[in-house]
Amino acid sequence: MRKSSLKRFIVRLVTKPYDKAMLEALDSMGRIHKAVNVDLVHMHALLAFVQDAILTEVFKMDTDTVDCEAAEGSKRDGTARAFCKVLAVLNQFISAWYEEVKENNSL
């Protein structure tokens, strides 16, 4: 179950448009995992695993259709940077669910 859920998540991450529904799905990741008592450190470890898996595939990309070597590196670098940014946003969505709510009196 966990592996299939992770696989569906990664497929969605790289194939679906980043619209309101995607942002809601990213936000729900933290809510769902906090509700079942998954520690934040484990969520961060999973994101690191996902990032490594995606970047490994990005750097194996076939760029035969690109004419010059400099453009190949640029295409790979841009794709890698984009996924790192997406995962950073996901990290923020997840972490927000784990922050303790501070009361106004505890300044």
Side-chain angles (χ1 to χ4, degrees):
M1 176 69 172
R2 290 180 190 158
K3 285 183 182 180
S4 63
S5 294
L6 180 59
K7 181 180 177 181
R8 282 193 315 271
F9 166 70
I10 292 173
V11 168
R12 183 174 186 180
L13 193 64
V14 298
T15 61
K16 300 292 182 183
Y18 284 84
D19 54 8
K20 183 179 179 182
M22 175 62 93
L23 292 177
E24 289 171 356
L26 294 178
D27 186 44
S28 71
M29 298 295 289
R31 179 179 46 82
I32 291 167
H33 288 87
K34 179 160 176 137
V36 294
N37 296 318
V38 176
D39 291 331
L40 183 57
V41 68
H42 296 119
M43 294 299 295
H44 288 164
L46 178 63
L47 286 177
F49 171 80
V50 169
Q51 181 175 352
D52 182 62
I54 289 174
L55 290 179
T56 297
E57 294 306 312
V58 165
F59 288 115
K60 285 197 263 181
M61 277 187 345
D62 181 18
T63 54
D64 291 338
T65 58
V66 179
D67 291 334
C68 74
E69 190 172 312
E72 289 178 4
S74 174
K75 183 177 178 181
R76 284 187 186 122
D77 292 348
T79 303
R81 292 180 72 208
F83 279 113
C84 288
K85 290 174 185 176
V86 167
L87 292 175
V89 169
L90 176 57
N91 184 31
Q92 290 299 311
F93 276 123
I94 290 171
S95 296
W97 285 97
Y98 286 83
E99 293 177 4
E100 292 185 26
V101 177
K102 295 181 181 179
E103 293 183 29
N104 291 336
N105 296 336
S106 62
L107 294 175

